[in-house]
Each structure stands twice: as C-alpha cells, then as structure tokens.
Amino acid sequence: MVNSLNRDEKSLSDRFLSVRDLFKSYENSGATIDILKGVNIDLNAGETLAIVGASGIGKSTLLHILGALDRPDSGTYFFKDDDIFLLNQTSLAKFRNETVGFVFQFHYLLPEFSALENTMMPALIKGLSKNKAREIAEGMLVRVGLKDRLNFRASKLSGGEQQRIALARSLVLKPAILLADEPTGNLDKRNSEYIHDLLMELNAELNMTLIVVTHNMELASYMSRSMTIVDCQLIEIKG
Amino acid sequence: MNHNLFSALKLEKTVMFIILALIVLVAAFNIASTLIMMVMGKTKDIAILKAMGAMDSSIRKIFIYKGMIIGAVGTSLGVCLGFILCKLLEKYKFIQLPGDVYYISTLPVRLEALDVFMIASAAMVICFLATLYPASQASKLNPIEAIRYG
C-alpha cells in the first residue's frame, strides 16, 4: 500500500481533479465522529478509480464531497482551475449539472415521468431547449440499450432498466466526472455485469473520469486504480 | 330610519367580508398543509433534482407554481359558482326576507365587477402567501440527508 500523498509533485497546469487535506466529521448526540482526516486524491481525465471497503468508513461521504453535494470541514478541492468550495451557489449548481454525473445505489428516478423525460432532466435544468434535450436524451437511452422503452413510465420498468436510465441521465450532458455509489448494489448478477460493461465502454467513449464506490470486487477490478479508507485516510491498494 | 338601515347593512357587509376572509384563510392553510405534505413526500425527488444541478430558486418556484395552480383553479371555480348562484338568486328569488323589517321581500342581488375582482385577487394573494413557507422548506432541503437515508 502506498499513500496517495506521493502524487503532490504533479504540476498545477495539468491538474484535472485534485483534493488536498480533506477533513470531515459529524456530530452525533454531542460526540464528534471523524469520517475523513487529511484525504488527498489526484486524478487525470479518463482515469478510473474504485473506492472499496466496509460500510460506514466514509466512502459515500467522500463521493458526495467530490460531487459538491456535501462540504468538508476543511481542505481544498480543485477541478481544473476552479476551487470548488469557493464557488458561489450558482456556479456550484452549474458544476453539479454540467461537470458531474451521479449514479446512486437506488435509481432515484422521478416516478411520474417517462424514461425519456427523466433522462432529459439535466439538459432541461441546464436550460437547453426541449427539442435539443429530447434529441440528446434519446441518443443516450439508445446507447444504454433502452430504445424500446423511451416513453415508458420510470416506475413501470425493471430494476436493471431503471438503473440504466439513471446511468443515461447522469451521462446525458457528457460530464467530465462520473461518480457512482454502489451502482449495481441492488441488481442481480446479469444486470450488474451489463452495467459494469456499459460503465467501462462509456468511460472509454466519453473519456470521463470514473469514481466508483463499491463492495463488488469484480467491478473494482475493472478500474485502473483502487483505494480504500483506513483510519479516516484514503490509501491506494496496489493492483 | 333609512340611515339606520343602511349603516346596519354596511356593518353586515363588513362582517360578511371578515367571515369570507376567514374561510379563505382556512382554505389557504389547507393549501399550505397540502404543499408541506407534498414536500415531505417528494424529498427524494427534490434531492435528486439538486444533485442534478437544480438551483434552490428553481425548487422554490416548482412549489410556488403548484400552490398558485391550486389557488387559481379554486378561485376560478369559486368565482364561477358564485356567479351562477347570484344569477339563479336574481331569477328565482329563493331567499325570502321579512318584509316588515327590510321593506323588500326577497334578497336582492347586485354583482359588482370590482367586488368580484377584489375577492379573487385577495384569494390569489392569500394562496401565494400560503405557498411561501412550504416552498422555502423545499428549497432549503439538504440533498445529502435524503440520499443517505434514502
């Protein structure tokens, strides 16, 4: 095992995603629980990273911070030249909308809407026209193999199909970073394999940086790097 | 004599306005509680919209629009029903009055456009105020709480 701090010498100009000295703790019934203590990560465009380990060690918290959904107590997070936690609310929302794609263990699709409308949602939030949003959403749903399900209500589809819609939705704006939190934690083996293959193919196609939190060692083995959290610190597992 | 009667009628109109305003207020609380329940039911949807980059102001607008649509439908229905009732009363005079007290034997009807407009506007303003609290609760929701405890 090698501590990820050793990547510090990387020059600032090629910095893609860089996290330094991240600290995060929670208050619970008056007691402070440390989750992350001095976490560092450096990733290049297109790189794939698995974060593995037992439940409750802070993997999801780290992923939420990387997706700018949560804030650390201290530390810096640079994406290219932007210091993410110094951005104002509008820029932060834009970062979540255009730069980051999120896939969760549960699909969190909007049940009243069709597969196509769910997939269009990030594009509509961005302010694209309905026609343009429909066009790119259709393309992405076809890409994940749901050509025949475009107008089906999300709640009427199977678990595997719902997760594929969630994947299409997260990728519709071709984000630079895809964050996946147990993307196949809720699926059977066949659907899990389908999603794994799809993730790797789309990673190569779109050159997006992929960070996956998983218990699934098979999925972790597809990633170019693997890390785990030990004593609130992120450490690299040599492949 | 007439002076007393008209001041009594004026007082009655004021009291009626207060009673109607209270009814509208109760309806507004209904809208507010419906929206609060909806915000609670839609916690995950709000969280995922925020994770997809929706601004707090957009979330607030969704619930304000929703409340205003409920308000507009209710107000239109109320205005229509009130109009129909007034026309029926005008034609069939089905509310009798004691003639020795009022000098007239049935309840008279006079529809004033300004009155209708004022009542409809007041109803919409109260509906708008009723949406503010639930909408701001929705926009302040922390997406992490909803996603973590899914």
Side-chain angles (χ1 to χ4, degrees):
Chain A
M1 289 189 180
V2 168
N3 197 311
S4 59
L5 260 173
N6 298 346
R7 295 168 175 266
D8 257 354
E9 55 277 4
K10 200 169 154 67
S11 86
L12 283 176
S13 56
D14 353 302
R15 178 164 61 188
F16 180 74
L17 185 158
S18 168
V19 169
R20 286 283 166 277
D21 292 326
L22 215 61
F23 283 79
K24 178 78 184 171
S25 58
Y26 288 112
E27 291 284 329
N28 193 352
S29 315
T32 304
I33 303 165
D34 289 323
I35 304 287
L36 304 171
K37 284 199 286 193
V39 164
N40 299 287
I41 312 174
D42 280 293
L43 283 173
N44 296 318
E47 210 169 355
T48 56
L49 167 67
I51 303 176
V52 296
S55 297
I57 57 170
K59 307 187 298 291
S60 295
T61 301
L62 178 59
L63 206 68
H64 294 152
I65 291 173
L66 293 176
L69 279 177
D70 205 355
R71 281 183 175 271
D73 299 334
S74 65
T76 57
Y77 172 17
F78 274 92
F79 174 73
K80 293 184 177 166
D81 290 327
D82 290 328
D83 189 342
I84 297 303
F85 294 115
L86 292 183
L87 295 178
N88 60 25
Q89 283 298 318
T90 314
S91 308
L92 211 55
K94 192 170 177 319
F95 173 75
R96 285 198 287 253
N97 180 231
E98 295 175 19
T99 310
V100 180
F102 249 117
V103 185
F104 301 96
Q105 181 176 359
F106 303 101
H107 53 77
Y108 294 119
L109 297 173
L110 303 174
E112 299 91 345
F113 292 91
S114 70
L116 184 60
E117 289 163 335
N118 266 289
T119 313
M120 284 163 69
M121 213 56 83
L124 294 175
I125 290 172
K126 188 184 175 188
L128 297 185
S129 72
K130 267 193 182 172
N131 285 340
K132 179 73 188 157
R134 183 174 294 120
E135 184 191 320
I136 57 173
E138 268 182 22
M140 197 46 81
L141 282 170
V142 170
R143 181 64 193 82
V144 299
L146 291 172
K147 194 177 156 196
D148 305 327
R149 298 282 188 273
L150 297 183
N151 295 312
F152 279 51
R153 270 201 181 196
S155 52
K156 303 278 179 206
L157 296 172
S158 73
E161 287 169 334
Q162 286 172 331
Q163 198 59 324
R164 276 191 273 163
I165 300 170
L167 185 59
R169 178 181 64 183
S170 67
L171 294 174
V172 73
L173 292 177
K174 299 198 167 48
I177 310 166
L178 180 69
L179 303 171
D181 192 353
E182 300 279 5
T184 55
N186 220 15
L187 299 179
D188 60 47
K189 193 168 186 299
R190 194 174 61 90
N191 273 305
S192 298
E193 280 168 4
Y194 189 90
I195 297 274
H196 295 169
D197 293 344
L198 209 51
L199 276 173
M200 299 320 292
E201 284 169 24
L202 289 165
N203 162 255
E205 252 174 65
L206 307 173
N207 193 37
M208 61 184 182
T209 300
L210 176 58
I211 305 176
V212 182
V213 161
T214 186
H215 284 116
N216 186 322
M217 294 317 282
E218 190 194 335
L219 175 57
S221 70
Y222 291 138
M223 305 293 142
S224 56
R225 293 165 64 188
S226 285
M227 291 177 139
T228 188
I229 298 173
V230 176
D231 296 332
C232 306
Q233 303 236 332
L234 194 65
I235 52 172
E236 189 123 13
I237 307 168
K238 271 198 168 173
Chain B
M1 184 63 189
N2 276 355
H3 175 74
N4 285 347
L5 176 66
F6 284 118
S7 50
L9 286 175
K10 200 175 169 194
L11 179 68
E12 196 180 311
K13 200 173 175 183
T14 313
V15 173
M16 280 301 286
F17 181 80
I18 293 170
I19 292 172
L20 287 176
L22 284 175
I23 292 173
V24 174
L25 204 65
V26 171
F29 272 110
N30 242 321
I31 293 182
S33 55
T34 305
L35 284 178
I36 289 169
M37 293 298 286
M38 186 184 283
V39 169
M40 288 163 78
K42 296 274 178 199
T43 304
K44 280 182 206 157
D45 295 359
I46 297 167
I48 198 69
L49 283 173
K50 284 194 166 187
M52 286 193 284
M55 301 275 297
D56 288 0
S57 56
S58 315
I59 305 286
R60 195 177 308 121
K61 268 189 223 158
I62 293 174
F63 288 93
I64 289 180
Y65 287 161
K66 179 94 190 175
M68 293 306 281
I69 289 170
I70 298 173
V73 170
T75 306
S76 319
L77 275 175
V79 166
C80 289
L81 283 173
F83 183 79
I84 293 169
L85 199 67
C86 283
K87 286 292 160 198
L88 286 175
L89 186 61
E90 199 173 25
K91 195 170 179 194
Y92 298 108
K93 302 186 188 308
F94 49 80
I95 298 184
Q96 305 294 328
L97 293 177
D100 52 336
V101 179
Y102 290 102
Y103 305 112
I104 42 174
S105 56
T106 55
L107 190 71
V109 175
R110 201 177 75 193
L111 263 175
E112 288 276 351
L114 185 67
D115 283 354
V116 175
F117 176 75
M118 290 287 283
I119 290 166
S121 306
M124 289 304 290
V125 169
I126 292 174
C127 283
F128 174 71
L129 296 177
T131 64
L132 292 182
Y133 176 72
S136 96
Q137 288 299 100
S139 71
K140 276 192 249 158
L141 194 132
N142 180 0
I144 287 301
E145 300 288 318
I147 287 166
R148 186 183 295 133
Y149 305 111

